[in-house]
Amino acid sequence: LSRESVHLAGVPARNHLVLAAGVLGTCASSLSRVLHQGAGAVVTKSIGPEPRYGHAGPCVVVLEDGVMNAMGLPNPSRDFVEELSTLVNEPVIVSIFGGNPEEFHEVAGWFAEKAQAFELNVSCPHAAGFGAQIGTNPDVVKACTEAVKEWKKPVWVKLTPNVTDITVIGKAAEEGGADAIVAINTVRAMRISTGLRRPVLGNKFGGLSGKAVFPIAVRCVYELYEACSIPIIGCGGISCAEDVIEMMMAGAEGVEIGSAVVQDPEIFRHIGEELYAPDGISAREIVGCAHV
Ligand code: DOR
């Protein structure tokens, strides 16, 4: 690809590679470091209406082909506004969650000045009251999107793959005024320790990410591209330049990378070196080209 600054659904990004939500938590200096290491933009850990410690451990298990987590949306809530002060004018997308449209509206309001854009987390697979109850109901997804749009910032809506038809939810986000759809959040999953005879995660159930979910993410992006008219950001198991190209061919204008950062903290520089070339073609030429 040609190395170009891009407008990713309203966000002036430095390239097509965005740090996925959650991975580097709520620490401004880690987010800043990833930007310096070549990320085109970064998404924060999801921030909600009240501070939360999250689920009891173990919260993260690294598997052969992926990562399973049940963090439980730990976050400092409104205190994160202060932390974000060091990142003004940087391409930072603030991920937010709530239990209803009013809470989404309230949390977005705290960040309306500092965020370049919002990503609505309506898709955590294991947080009672915040995840599936919201992100599997098209009317609620539409209402949450409309509520946050009142702050006049670009709104990306991150969808769960844990539904029968993801396009129903994508279309609801679009109707609510979303500027982009991010697909996908983690796949609801479980492992059991045969030695301990109990689930390995403290919360029993969690969300699977990493290479294992890449084919699911490609399928979701492909379906959403056919059903919706707003940009799609592909997320789920991307770990090399070829994965980025494949995701774009499915219909993604940009991608988010999460689990791969755990294995390689400099993944953005490494993928960027492989993906971009002085004589490369424009991304426009490949986005959606697999729709034959
Ligand atoms: O897999 C996930 N884990 N997805 C989310 O949206 C939230 C996160 C958590 O905090 O548990």
PDB file of all heavy atoms in Angstrom, residues 25-42:
ATOM      1  N   GLY A  25      -5.020  -0.538  28.145  1.00  0.00           N
ATOM      2  CA  GLY A  25      -5.650   0.028  29.318  1.00  0.00           C
ATOM      3  C   GLY A  25      -5.893   1.520  29.283  1.00  0.00           C
ATOM      4  O   GLY A  25      -6.211   2.090  28.237  1.00  0.00           O
ATOM      5  N   THR A  26      -5.727   2.129  30.432  1.00  0.00           N
ATOM      6  CA  THR A  26      -6.083   3.541  30.577  1.00  0.00           C
ATOM      7  C   THR A  26      -4.857   4.356  30.961  1.00  0.00           C
ATOM      8  O   THR A  26      -4.938   5.299  31.718  1.00  0.00           O
ATOM      9  CB  THR A  26      -7.173   3.701  31.646  1.00  0.00           C
ATOM     10  OG1 THR A  26      -6.816   2.920  32.776  1.00  0.00           O
ATOM     11  CG2 THR A  26      -8.512   3.241  31.133  1.00  0.00           C
ATOM     12  N   CYS A  27      -3.713   3.980  30.413  1.00  0.00           N
ATOM     13  CA  CYS A  27      -2.486   4.680  30.742  1.00  0.00           C
ATOM     14  C   CYS A  27      -2.056   5.504  29.532  1.00  0.00           C
ATOM     15  O   CYS A  27      -1.723   4.955  28.475  1.00  0.00           O
ATOM     16  CB  CYS A  27      -1.432   3.639  31.107  1.00  0.00           C
ATOM     17  SG  CYS A  27       0.176   4.331  31.364  1.00  0.00           S
ATOM     18  N   ALA A  28      -2.088   6.826  29.681  1.00  0.00           N
ATOM     19  CA  ALA A  28      -1.801   7.723  28.547  1.00  0.00           C
ATOM     20  C   ALA A  28      -0.407   7.487  27.983  1.00  0.00           C
ATOM     21  O   ALA A  28      -0.210   7.535  26.769  1.00  0.00           O
ATOM     22  CB  ALA A  28      -1.968   9.169  28.975  1.00  0.00           C
ATOM     23  N   SER A  29       0.567   7.200  28.846  1.00  0.00           N
ATOM     24  CA  SER A  29       1.930   7.047  28.316  1.00  0.00           C
ATOM     25  C   SER A  29       2.065   5.787  27.458  1.00  0.00           C
ATOM     26  O   SER A  29       2.801   5.777  26.480  1.00  0.00           O
ATOM     27  CB  SER A  29       2.965   7.062  29.445  1.00  0.00           C
ATOM     28  OG  SER A  29       2.694   6.039  30.353  1.00  0.00           O
ATOM     29  N   SER A  30       1.335   4.713  27.789  1.00  0.00           N
ATOM     30  CA  SER A  30       1.386   3.522  26.917  1.00  0.00           C
ATOM     31  C   SER A  30       0.731   3.813  25.576  1.00  0.00           C
ATOM     32  O   SER A  30       1.214   3.383  24.528  1.00  0.00           O
ATOM     33  CB  SER A  30       0.666   2.315  27.514  1.00  0.00           C
ATOM     34  OG  SER A  30       0.784   2.266  28.882  1.00  0.00           O
ATOM     35  N   LEU A  31      -0.369   4.547  25.607  1.00  0.00           N
ATOM     36  CA  LEU A  31      -1.047   4.889  24.342  1.00  0.00           C
ATOM     37  C   LEU A  31      -0.126   5.756  23.486  1.00  0.00           C
ATOM     38  O   LEU A  31      -0.002   5.562  22.274  1.00  0.00           O
ATOM     39  CB  LEU A  31      -2.367   5.606  24.631  1.00  0.00           C
ATOM     40  CG  LEU A  31      -3.432   4.786  25.374  1.00  0.00           C
ATOM     41  CD1 LEU A  31      -4.619   5.660  25.765  1.00  0.00           C
ATOM     42  CD2 LEU A  31      -3.907   3.610  24.523  1.00  0.00           C
ATOM     43  N   SER A  32       0.542   6.690  24.125  1.00  0.00           N
ATOM     44  CA  SER A  32       1.450   7.585  23.419  1.00  0.00           C
ATOM     45  C   SER A  32       2.611   6.801  22.797  1.00  0.00           C
ATOM     46  O   SER A  32       3.022   7.052  21.665  1.00  0.00           O
ATOM     47  CB  SER A  32       1.957   8.622  24.413  1.00  0.00           C
ATOM     48  OG  SER A  32       2.955   9.368  23.865  1.00  0.00           O
ATOM     49  N   ARG A  33       3.117   5.821  23.543  1.00  0.00           N
ATOM     50  CA  ARG A  33       4.235   5.025  23.022  1.00  0.00           C
ATOM     51  C   ARG A  33       3.820   4.254  21.771  1.00  0.00           C
ATOM     52  O   ARG A  33       4.573   4.184  20.798  1.00  0.00           O
ATOM     53  CB  ARG A  33       4.747   4.060  24.099  1.00  0.00           C
ATOM     54  CG  ARG A  33       6.034   3.368  23.681  1.00  0.00           C
ATOM     55  CD  ARG A  33       6.771   2.770  24.857  1.00  0.00           C
ATOM     56  NE  ARG A  33       6.043   1.662  25.432  1.00  0.00           N
ATOM     57  CZ  ARG A  33       5.885   1.468  26.736  1.00  0.00           C
ATOM     58  NH1 ARG A  33       6.420   2.312  27.602  1.00  0.00           N
ATOM     59  NH2 ARG A  33       5.204   0.444  27.180  1.00  0.00           N
ATOM     60  N   VAL A  34       2.614   3.687  21.776  1.00  0.00           N
ATOM     61  CA  VAL A  34       2.151   2.941  20.597  1.00  0.00           C
ATOM     62  C   VAL A  34       2.015   3.864  19.389  1.00  0.00           C
ATOM     63  O   VAL A  34       2.332   3.481  18.262  1.00  0.00           O
ATOM     64  CB  VAL A  34       0.814   2.227  20.908  1.00  0.00           C
ATOM     65  CG1 VAL A  34       0.248   1.557  19.677  1.00  0.00           C
ATOM     66  CG2 VAL A  34       1.021   1.197  21.989  1.00  0.00           C
ATOM     67  N   LEU A  35       1.585   5.091  19.624  1.00  0.00           N
ATOM     68  CA  LEU A  35       1.506   6.054  18.515  1.00  0.00           C
ATOM     69  C   LEU A  35       2.908   6.319  17.957  1.00  0.00           C
ATOM     70  O   LEU A  35       3.110   6.359  16.752  1.00  0.00           O
ATOM     71  CB  LEU A  35       0.858   7.357  18.986  1.00  0.00           C
ATOM     72  CG  LEU A  35      -0.660   7.312  19.153  1.00  0.00           C
ATOM     73  CD1 LEU A  35      -1.163   8.543  19.898  1.00  0.00           C
ATOM     74  CD2 LEU A  35      -1.360   7.197  17.801  1.00  0.00           C
ATOM     75  N   HIS A  36       3.869   6.469  18.848  1.00  0.00           N
ATOM     76  CA  HIS A  36       5.246   6.705  18.382  1.00  0.00           C
ATOM     77  C   HIS A  36       5.815   5.492  17.665  1.00  0.00           C
ATOM     78  O   HIS A  36       6.685   5.613  16.818  1.00  0.00           O
ATOM     79  CB  HIS A  36       6.146   7.121  19.552  1.00  0.00           C
ATOM     80  CG  HIS A  36       5.932   8.541  19.953  1.00  0.00           C
ATOM     81  ND1 HIS A  36       5.308   8.916  21.121  1.00  0.00           N
ATOM     82  CD2 HIS A  36       6.213   9.695  19.295  1.00  0.00           C
ATOM     83  CE1 HIS A  36       5.218  10.239  21.167  1.00  0.00           C
ATOM     84  NE2 HIS A  36       5.764  10.731  20.068  1.00  0.00           N
ATOM     85  N   GLN A  37       5.311   4.319  18.024  1.00  0.00           N
ATOM     86  CA  GLN A  37       5.811   3.098  17.379  1.00  0.00           C
ATOM     87  C   GLN A  37       5.059   2.770  16.092  1.00  0.00           C
ATOM     88  O   GLN A  37       5.234   1.703  15.541  1.00  0.00           O
ATOM     89  CB  GLN A  37       5.721   1.920  18.349  1.00  0.00           C
ATOM     90  CG  GLN A  37       6.833   1.960  19.394  1.00  0.00           C
ATOM     91  CD  GLN A  37       6.631   0.933  20.481  1.00  0.00           C
ATOM     92  OE1 GLN A  37       5.550   0.369  20.612  1.00  0.00           O
ATOM     93  NE2 GLN A  37       7.659   0.693  21.263  1.00  0.00           N
ATOM     94  N   GLY A  38       4.210   3.679  15.638  1.00  0.00           N
ATOM     95  CA  GLY A  38       3.665   3.488  14.310  1.00  0.00           C
ATOM     96  C   GLY A  38       2.169   3.226  14.202  1.00  0.00           C
ATOM     97  O   GLY A  38       1.666   3.016  13.100  1.00  0.00           O
ATOM     98  N   ALA A  39       1.444   3.249  15.307  1.00  0.00           N
ATOM     99  CA  ALA A  39      -0.013   3.100  15.181  1.00  0.00           C
ATOM    100  C   ALA A  39      -0.583   4.366  14.535  1.00  0.00           C
ATOM    101  O   ALA A  39      -0.128   5.471  14.818  1.00  0.00           O
ATOM    102  CB  ALA A  39      -0.650   2.869  16.545  1.00  0.00           C
ATOM    103  N   GLY A  40      -1.581   4.185  13.679  1.00  0.00           N
ATOM    104  CA  GLY A  40      -2.194   5.332  13.015  1.00  0.00           C
ATOM    105  C   GLY A  40      -3.134   6.094  13.933  1.00  0.00           C
ATOM    106  O   GLY A  40      -3.386   7.283  13.752  1.00  0.00           O
ATOM    107  N   ALA A  41      -3.669   5.415  14.916  1.00  0.00           N
ATOM    108  CA  ALA A  41      -4.561   5.990  15.924  1.00  0.00           C
ATOM    109  C   ALA A  41      -4.670   4.958  17.041  1.00  0.00           C
ATOM    110  O   ALA A  41      -4.268   3.795  16.851  1.00  0.00           O
ATOM    111  CB  ALA A  41      -5.943   6.290  15.332  1.00  0.00           C
ATOM    112  N   VAL A  42      -5.195   5.373  18.179  1.00  0.00           N
ATOM    113  CA  VAL A  42      -5.363   4.422  19.285  1.00  0.00           C
ATOM    114  C   VAL A  42      -6.762   4.527  19.878  1.00  0.00           C
ATOM    115  O   VAL A  42      -7.356   5.608  19.915  1.00  0.00           O
ATOM    116  CB  VAL A  42      -4.328   4.642  20.422  1.00  0.00           C
ATOM    117  CG1 VAL A  42      -2.908   4.378  19.935  1.00  0.00           C
ATOM    118  CG2 VAL A  42      -4.424   6.047  21.005  1.00  0.00           C
TER     119      VAL A  42
END
